[in-house]
Amino acid sequence: MRDLTYPPIIVTAKTAFRLLGQRFAMTGTEHVPRSGGVLLAYNHIGYVDFVYGGLAANPSGRKVRFMAKRELFDHRWTGPLMRSLHHIEVDRGDGVQSFQTAVDHLRAGEAVGIFPEATISRSFELKDFKTGTVRIAAEAGVPLLPVILWGTQRMMTKDHDKDFSRGKTIAISVGEPLHPTGADPAAETRALKERMSQMLDSTIRAYPEPEQPPGSWWLPASYGGSAPTPDEALRLDAEEKRRRAEKRRAARKK
């Protein structure tokens, strides 16, 4: 694919990271192959995960094509940018086309990024995974790499103000590849989530203690933070979904 936009975007992002005085704790990036199709599965904790997630493949010289919700492609400003970066549009009402597009990208030798949880986790722990991740990797016949992001939620996430103050640590952990066959997508999805749960635990525990003291809103409740528990997060997600549905109904009546 011709990439006219991606290279300057990467340079701009890295410049911004330096200006923000950010430190990066990156492990396992050697697992990203330098060529050939590969699917990277990320946890989803903040709105800037797309920006930082691509760094997992940067040491290998790869550019990640992220699967992202259709609303970003419909937006007047982000739409042209997303298309120029060759990201993949996902219509949650009809995922067949996005599934096939992802498979085509992978078979063409691209690195594709996906969020198995589909939406941001308010608890910052892993939500239920969709089976599409392992099914895409199996259909394309490519390795599946689990990736954990931590610290991105501190900048921009649901229910909290933006905070781009200087000096934050961003942790990016890449695990060893899985090789789904598609024989049992549910079991392979459970295996992926278990692997990522272990990686998330290790990443949280290795994060600089001064930056996440007990009670921190960005720290899961199970680690002594004040983030919603997974059950509370489910309730908040349901309320958000209800409000959006009401807003759509009201818009149709106008």
PDB file of all heavy atoms in Angstrom, residues 158-186:
ATOM      1  N   LYS A 158     -13.082   7.337  28.908  1.00  0.00           N
ATOM      2  CA  LYS A 158     -14.470   7.620  29.236  1.00  0.00           C
ATOM      3  C   LYS A 158     -14.607   8.151  30.665  1.00  0.00           C
ATOM      4  O   LYS A 158     -13.918   7.698  31.577  1.00  0.00           O
ATOM      5  CB  LYS A 158     -15.322   6.352  29.090  1.00  0.00           C
ATOM      6  CG  LYS A 158     -15.552   5.920  27.655  1.00  0.00           C
ATOM      7  CD  LYS A 158     -16.508   4.743  27.579  1.00  0.00           C
ATOM      8  CE  LYS A 158     -16.820   4.385  26.131  1.00  0.00           C
ATOM      9  NZ  LYS A 158     -17.798   3.279  26.029  1.00  0.00           N
ATOM     10  N   ASP A 159     -15.517   9.110  30.838  1.00  0.00           N
ATOM     11  CA  ASP A 159     -15.931   9.617  32.150  1.00  0.00           C
ATOM     12  C   ASP A 159     -14.875  10.443  32.869  1.00  0.00           C
ATOM     13  O   ASP A 159     -15.030  10.758  34.057  1.00  0.00           O
ATOM     14  CB  ASP A 159     -16.366   8.462  33.080  1.00  0.00           C
ATOM     15  CG  ASP A 159     -17.420   7.566  32.456  1.00  0.00           C
ATOM     16  OD1 ASP A 159     -18.245   8.077  31.686  1.00  0.00           O
ATOM     17  OD2 ASP A 159     -17.399   6.346  32.719  1.00  0.00           O
ATOM     18  N   HIS A 160     -13.797  10.821  32.183  1.00  0.00           N
ATOM     19  CA  HIS A 160     -12.739  11.598  32.826  1.00  0.00           C
ATOM     20  C   HIS A 160     -12.261  12.700  31.887  1.00  0.00           C
ATOM     21  O   HIS A 160     -12.314  12.572  30.668  1.00  0.00           O
ATOM     22  CB  HIS A 160     -11.555  10.696  33.204  1.00  0.00           C
ATOM     23  CG  HIS A 160     -11.888   9.690  34.251  1.00  0.00           C
ATOM     24  ND1 HIS A 160     -11.919   9.993  35.601  1.00  0.00           N
ATOM     25  CD2 HIS A 160     -12.234   8.383  34.148  1.00  0.00           C
ATOM     26  CE1 HIS A 160     -12.258   8.914  36.282  1.00  0.00           C
ATOM     27  NE2 HIS A 160     -12.454   7.930  35.429  1.00  0.00           N
ATOM     28  N   ASP A 161     -11.780  13.785  32.484  1.00  0.00           N
ATOM     29  CA  ASP A 161     -11.266  14.896  31.696  1.00  0.00           C
ATOM     30  C   ASP A 161      -9.957  14.502  31.012  1.00  0.00           C
ATOM     31  O   ASP A 161      -9.217  13.642  31.499  1.00  0.00           O
ATOM     32  CB  ASP A 161     -11.011  16.116  32.596  1.00  0.00           C
ATOM     33  CG  ASP A 161     -12.293  16.689  33.175  1.00  0.00           C
ATOM     34  OD1 ASP A 161     -13.350  16.513  32.542  1.00  0.00           O
ATOM     35  OD2 ASP A 161     -12.217  17.300  34.265  1.00  0.00           O
ATOM     36  N   LYS A 162      -9.666  15.170  29.908  1.00  0.00           N
ATOM     37  CA  LYS A 162      -8.392  14.954  29.228  1.00  0.00           C
ATOM     38  C   LYS A 162      -7.253  15.442  30.116  1.00  0.00           C
ATOM     39  O   LYS A 162      -7.384  16.430  30.834  1.00  0.00           O
ATOM     40  CB  LYS A 162      -8.370  15.718  27.896  1.00  0.00           C
ATOM     41  CG  LYS A 162      -9.468  15.327  26.928  1.00  0.00           C
ATOM     42  CD  LYS A 162      -9.464  16.235  25.716  1.00  0.00           C
ATOM     43  CE  LYS A 162     -10.638  15.942  24.803  1.00  0.00           C
ATOM     44  NZ  LYS A 162     -10.693  16.876  23.650  1.00  0.00           N
ATOM     45  N   ASP A 163      -6.134  14.747  30.048  1.00  0.00           N
ATOM     46  CA  ASP A 163      -4.962  15.145  30.823  1.00  0.00           C
ATOM     47  C   ASP A 163      -3.699  14.837  30.018  1.00  0.00           C
ATOM     48  O   ASP A 163      -3.222  13.708  30.000  1.00  0.00           O
ATOM     49  CB  ASP A 163      -4.923  14.416  32.170  1.00  0.00           C
ATOM     50  CG  ASP A 163      -3.706  14.798  33.008  1.00  0.00           C
ATOM     51  OD1 ASP A 163      -2.968  15.720  32.592  1.00  0.00           O
ATOM     52  OD2 ASP A 163      -3.490  14.181  34.059  1.00  0.00           O
ATOM     53  N   PHE A 164      -3.183  15.867  29.355  1.00  0.00           N
ATOM     54  CA  PHE A 164      -1.966  15.701  28.563  1.00  0.00           C
ATOM     55  C   PHE A 164      -0.783  16.377  29.255  1.00  0.00           C
ATOM     56  O   PHE A 164       0.108  16.916  28.596  1.00  0.00           O
ATOM     57  CB  PHE A 164      -2.174  16.252  27.151  1.00  0.00           C
ATOM     58  CG  PHE A 164      -3.115  15.408  26.328  1.00  0.00           C
ATOM     59  CD1 PHE A 164      -4.465  15.733  26.236  1.00  0.00           C
ATOM     60  CD2 PHE A 164      -2.663  14.280  25.666  1.00  0.00           C
ATOM     61  CE1 PHE A 164      -5.339  14.949  25.483  1.00  0.00           C
ATOM     62  CE2 PHE A 164      -3.528  13.495  24.915  1.00  0.00           C
ATOM     63  CZ  PHE A 164      -4.871  13.829  24.825  1.00  0.00           C
ATOM     64  N   SER A 165      -0.795  16.331  30.580  1.00  0.00           N
ATOM     65  CA  SER A 165       0.330  16.872  31.333  1.00  0.00           C
ATOM     66  C   SER A 165       1.567  16.006  31.091  1.00  0.00           C
ATOM     67  O   SER A 165       1.475  14.841  30.688  1.00  0.00           O
ATOM     68  CB  SER A 165      -0.003  16.932  32.821  1.00  0.00           C
ATOM     69  OG  SER A 165      -0.387  15.660  33.307  1.00  0.00           O
ATOM     70  N   ARG A 166       2.709  16.570  31.362  1.00  0.00           N
ATOM     71  CA  ARG A 166       3.975  15.925  31.025  1.00  0.00           C
ATOM     72  C   ARG A 166       4.345  14.798  31.989  1.00  0.00           C
ATOM     73  O   ARG A 166       3.871  14.732  33.118  1.00  0.00           O
ATOM     74  CB  ARG A 166       5.108  16.971  31.035  1.00  0.00           C
ATOM     75  CG  ARG A 166       5.056  17.955  29.883  1.00  0.00           C
ATOM     76  CD  ARG A 166       6.131  19.021  30.038  1.00  0.00           C
ATOM     77  NE  ARG A 166       7.443  18.438  30.265  1.00  0.00           N
ATOM     78  CZ  ARG A 166       8.238  17.984  29.316  1.00  0.00           C
ATOM     79  NH1 ARG A 166       7.848  18.040  28.042  1.00  0.00           N
ATOM     80  NH2 ARG A 166       9.418  17.451  29.597  1.00  0.00           N
ATOM     81  N   GLY A 167       5.251  13.922  31.484  1.00  0.00           N
ATOM     82  CA  GLY A 167       5.928  12.977  32.354  1.00  0.00           C
ATOM     83  C   GLY A 167       5.267  11.637  32.589  1.00  0.00           C
ATOM     84  O   GLY A 167       5.672  10.897  33.477  1.00  0.00           O
ATOM     85  N   LYS A 168       4.274  11.283  31.801  1.00  0.00           N
ATOM     86  CA  LYS A 168       3.599   9.999  32.023  1.00  0.00           C
ATOM     87  C   LYS A 168       4.400   8.845  31.399  1.00  0.00           C
ATOM     88  O   LYS A 168       5.057   9.008  30.374  1.00  0.00           O
ATOM     89  CB  LYS A 168       2.193  10.018  31.423  1.00  0.00           C
ATOM     90  CG  LYS A 168       1.231  10.970  32.133  1.00  0.00           C
ATOM     91  CD  LYS A 168      -0.128  10.909  31.487  1.00  0.00           C
ATOM     92  CE  LYS A 168      -1.137  11.757  32.232  1.00  0.00           C
ATOM     93  NZ  LYS A 168      -0.780  13.196  32.210  1.00  0.00           N
ATOM     94  N   THR A 169       4.282   7.685  32.016  1.00  0.00           N
ATOM     95  CA  THR A 169       4.874   6.466  31.451  1.00  0.00           C
ATOM     96  C   THR A 169       3.802   5.715  30.670  1.00  0.00           C
ATOM     97  O   THR A 169       2.678   5.549  31.139  1.00  0.00           O
ATOM     98  CB  THR A 169       5.432   5.557  32.562  1.00  0.00           C
ATOM     99  OG1 THR A 169       6.527   6.223  33.205  1.00  0.00           O
ATOM    100  CG2 THR A 169       5.923   4.232  31.992  1.00  0.00           C
ATOM    101  N   ILE A 170       4.160   5.275  29.473  1.00  0.00           N
ATOM    102  CA  ILE A 170       3.277   4.460  28.642  1.00  0.00           C
ATOM    103  C   ILE A 170       3.909   3.078  28.528  1.00  0.00           C
ATOM    104  O   ILE A 170       5.053   2.949  28.064  1.00  0.00           O
ATOM    105  CB  ILE A 170       3.095   5.061  27.238  1.00  0.00           C
ATOM    106  CG1 ILE A 170       2.605   6.517  27.326  1.00  0.00           C
ATOM    107  CG2 ILE A 170       2.133   4.207  26.418  1.00  0.00           C
ATOM    108  CD1 ILE A 170       1.265   6.686  28.007  1.00  0.00           C
ATOM    109  N   ALA A 171       3.193   2.055  28.958  1.00  0.00           N
ATOM    110  CA  ALA A 171       3.695   0.681  28.890  1.00  0.00           C
ATOM    111  C   ALA A 171       3.048  -0.041  27.718  1.00  0.00           C
ATOM    112  O   ALA A 171       1.827   0.041  27.517  1.00  0.00           O
ATOM    113  CB  ALA A 171       3.406  -0.062  30.191  1.00  0.00           C
ATOM    114  N   ILE A 172       3.874  -0.727  26.936  1.00  0.00           N
ATOM    115  CA  ILE A 172       3.398  -1.513  25.793  1.00  0.00           C
ATOM    116  C   ILE A 172       4.062  -2.879  25.868  1.00  0.00           C
ATOM    117  O   ILE A 172       5.285  -2.984  25.782  1.00  0.00           O
ATOM    118  CB  ILE A 172       3.739  -0.837  24.450  1.00  0.00           C
ATOM    119  CG1 ILE A 172       3.147   0.581  24.407  1.00  0.00           C
ATOM    120  CG2 ILE A 172       3.226  -1.675  23.278  1.00  0.00           C
ATOM    121  CD1 ILE A 172       3.566   1.380  23.177  1.00  0.00           C
ATOM    122  N   SER A 173       3.252  -3.919  26.058  1.00  0.00           N
ATOM    123  CA  SER A 173       3.776  -5.281  26.198  1.00  0.00           C
ATOM    124  C   SER A 173       3.229  -6.155  25.078  1.00  0.00           C
ATOM    125  O   SER A 173       2.012  -6.237  24.887  1.00  0.00           O
ATOM    126  CB  SER A 173       3.375  -5.875  27.551  1.00  0.00           C
ATOM    127  OG  SER A 173       3.819  -5.052  28.625  1.00  0.00           O
ATOM    128  N   VAL A 174       4.123  -6.802  24.353  1.00  0.00           N
ATOM    129  CA  VAL A 174       3.740  -7.687  23.247  1.00  0.00           C
ATOM    130  C   VAL A 174       4.060  -9.126  23.644  1.00  0.00           C
ATOM    131  O   VAL A 174       5.172  -9.427  24.080  1.00  0.00           O
ATOM    132  CB  VAL A 174       4.490  -7.331  21.952  1.00  0.00           C
ATOM    133  CG1 VAL A 174       4.008  -8.208  20.798  1.00  0.00           C
ATOM    134  CG2 VAL A 174       4.314  -5.853  21.612  1.00  0.00           C
ATOM    135  N   GLY A 175       3.077 -10.002  23.519  1.00  0.00           N
ATOM    136  CA  GLY A 175       3.268 -11.400  23.893  1.00  0.00           C
ATOM    137  C   GLY A 175       3.689 -12.273  22.719  1.00  0.00           C
ATOM    138  O   GLY A 175       3.687 -11.841  21.562  1.00  0.00           O
ATOM    139  N   GLU A 176       4.041 -13.499  23.029  1.00  0.00           N
ATOM    140  CA  GLU A 176       4.412 -14.460  21.991  1.00  0.00           C
ATOM    141  C   GLU A 176       3.189 -14.791  21.142  1.00  0.00           C
ATOM    142  O   GLU A 176       2.052 -14.716  21.613  1.00  0.00           O
ATOM    143  CB  GLU A 176       4.972 -15.728  22.635  1.00  0.00           C
ATOM    144  CG  GLU A 176       6.274 -15.507  23.381  1.00  0.00           C
ATOM    145  CD  GLU A 176       6.812 -16.790  23.979  1.00  0.00           C
ATOM    146  OE1 GLU A 176       6.150 -17.844  23.831  1.00  0.00           O
ATOM    147  OE2 GLU A 176       7.887 -16.737  24.593  1.00  0.00           O
ATOM    148  N   PRO A 177       3.401 -15.150  19.886  1.00  0.00           N
ATOM    149  CA  PRO A 177       2.275 -15.369  18.974  1.00  0.00           C
ATOM    150  C   PRO A 177       1.432 -16.597  19.315  1.00  0.00           C
ATOM    151  O   PRO A 177       1.938 -17.613  19.776  1.00  0.00           O
ATOM    152  CB  PRO A 177       2.958 -15.544  17.615  1.00  0.00           C
ATOM    153  CG  PRO A 177       4.334 -16.022  17.934  1.00  0.00           C
ATOM    154  CD  PRO A 177       4.706 -15.329  19.220  1.00  0.00           C
ATOM    155  N   LEU A 178       0.152 -16.455  19.075  1.00  0.00           N
ATOM    156  CA  LEU A 178      -0.785 -17.571  19.098  1.00  0.00           C
ATOM    157  C   LEU A 178      -1.095 -17.918  17.647  1.00  0.00           C
ATOM    158  O   LEU A 178      -0.961 -17.085  16.748  1.00  0.00           O
ATOM    159  CB  LEU A 178      -2.062 -17.181  19.839  1.00  0.00           C
ATOM    160  CG  LEU A 178      -1.918 -16.755  21.307  1.00  0.00           C
ATOM    161  CD1 LEU A 178      -3.241 -16.226  21.826  1.00  0.00           C
ATOM    162  CD2 LEU A 178      -1.435 -17.902  22.146  1.00  0.00           C
ATOM    163  N   HIS A 179      -1.545 -19.163  17.427  1.00  0.00           N
ATOM    164  CA  HIS A 179      -1.825 -19.597  16.058  1.00  0.00           C
ATOM    165  C   HIS A 179      -3.208 -20.257  16.004  1.00  0.00           C
ATOM    166  O   HIS A 179      -3.316 -21.493  15.944  1.00  0.00           O
ATOM    167  CB  HIS A 179      -0.735 -20.553  15.575  1.00  0.00           C
ATOM    168  CG  HIS A 179       0.632 -19.940  15.553  1.00  0.00           C
ATOM    169  ND1 HIS A 179       1.079 -19.165  14.503  1.00  0.00           N
ATOM    170  CD2 HIS A 179       1.641 -19.966  16.471  1.00  0.00           C
ATOM    171  CE1 HIS A 179       2.313 -18.751  14.755  1.00  0.00           C
ATOM    172  NE2 HIS A 179       2.676 -19.222  15.939  1.00  0.00           N
ATOM    173  N   PRO A 180      -4.264 -19.437  16.013  1.00  0.00           N
ATOM    174  CA  PRO A 180      -5.625 -19.994  15.969  1.00  0.00           C
ATOM    175  C   PRO A 180      -5.867 -20.800  14.697  1.00  0.00           C
ATOM    176  O   PRO A 180      -5.376 -20.455  13.626  1.00  0.00           O
ATOM    177  CB  PRO A 180      -6.518 -18.744  15.996  1.00  0.00           C
ATOM    178  CG  PRO A 180      -5.647 -17.653  16.545  1.00  0.00           C
ATOM    179  CD  PRO A 180      -4.268 -17.966  16.064  1.00  0.00           C
ATOM    180  N   THR A 181      -6.630 -21.869  14.852  1.00  0.00           N
ATOM    181  CA  THR A 181      -6.977 -22.705  13.698  1.00  0.00           C
ATOM    182  C   THR A 181      -8.418 -22.493  13.250  1.00  0.00           C
ATOM    183  O   THR A 181      -8.783 -22.868  12.133  1.00  0.00           O
ATOM    184  CB  THR A 181      -6.807 -24.194  14.047  1.00  0.00           C
ATOM    185  OG1 THR A 181      -7.749 -24.549  15.077  1.00  0.00           O
ATOM    186  CG2 THR A 181      -5.389 -24.469  14.532  1.00  0.00           C
ATOM    187  N   GLY A 182      -9.235 -21.933  14.155  1.00  0.00           N
ATOM    188  CA  GLY A 182     -10.644 -21.754  13.845  1.00  0.00           C
ATOM    189  C   GLY A 182     -11.484 -22.968  14.155  1.00  0.00           C
ATOM    190  O   GLY A 182     -12.713 -22.943  13.965  1.00  0.00           O
ATOM    191  N   ALA A 183     -10.862 -24.040  14.652  1.00  0.00           N
ATOM    192  CA  ALA A 183     -11.611 -25.261  14.956  1.00  0.00           C
ATOM    193  C   ALA A 183     -12.585 -25.042  16.106  1.00  0.00           C
ATOM    194  O   ALA A 183     -13.676 -25.609  16.123  1.00  0.00           O
ATOM    195  CB  ALA A 183     -10.646 -26.404  15.290  1.00  0.00           C
ATOM    196  N   ASP A 184     -12.188 -24.221  17.080  1.00  0.00           N
ATOM    197  CA  ASP A 184     -13.040 -23.921  18.228  1.00  0.00           C
ATOM    198  C   ASP A 184     -12.814 -22.461  18.615  1.00  0.00           C
ATOM    199  O   ASP A 184     -12.047 -22.159  19.533  1.00  0.00           O
ATOM    200  CB  ASP A 184     -12.699 -24.843  19.402  1.00  0.00           C
ATOM    201  CG  ASP A 184     -13.697 -24.743  20.549  1.00  0.00           C
ATOM    202  OD1 ASP A 184     -14.442 -23.738  20.594  1.00  0.00           O
ATOM    203  OD2 ASP A 184     -13.720 -25.652  21.405  1.00  0.00           O
ATOM    204  N   PRO A 185     -13.477 -21.530  17.914  1.00  0.00           N
ATOM    205  CA  PRO A 185     -13.256 -20.109  18.157  1.00  0.00           C
ATOM    206  C   PRO A 185     -13.511 -19.681  19.608  1.00  0.00           C
ATOM    207  O   PRO A 185     -12.793 -18.819  20.125  1.00  0.00           O
ATOM    208  CB  PRO A 185     -14.242 -19.429  17.203  1.00  0.00           C
ATOM    209  CG  PRO A 185     -14.449 -20.423  16.108  1.00  0.00           C
ATOM    210  CD  PRO A 185     -14.414 -21.760  16.800  1.00  0.00           C
ATOM    211  N   ALA A 186     -14.507 -20.281  20.253  1.00  0.00           N
ATOM    212  CA  ALA A 186     -14.807 -19.899  21.629  1.00  0.00           C
ATOM    213  C   ALA A 186     -13.645 -20.260  22.554  1.00  0.00           C
ATOM    214  O   ALA A 186     -13.220 -19.461  23.398  1.00  0.00           O
ATOM    215  CB  ALA A 186     -16.091 -20.577  22.102  1.00  0.00           C
TER     216      ALA A 186
END
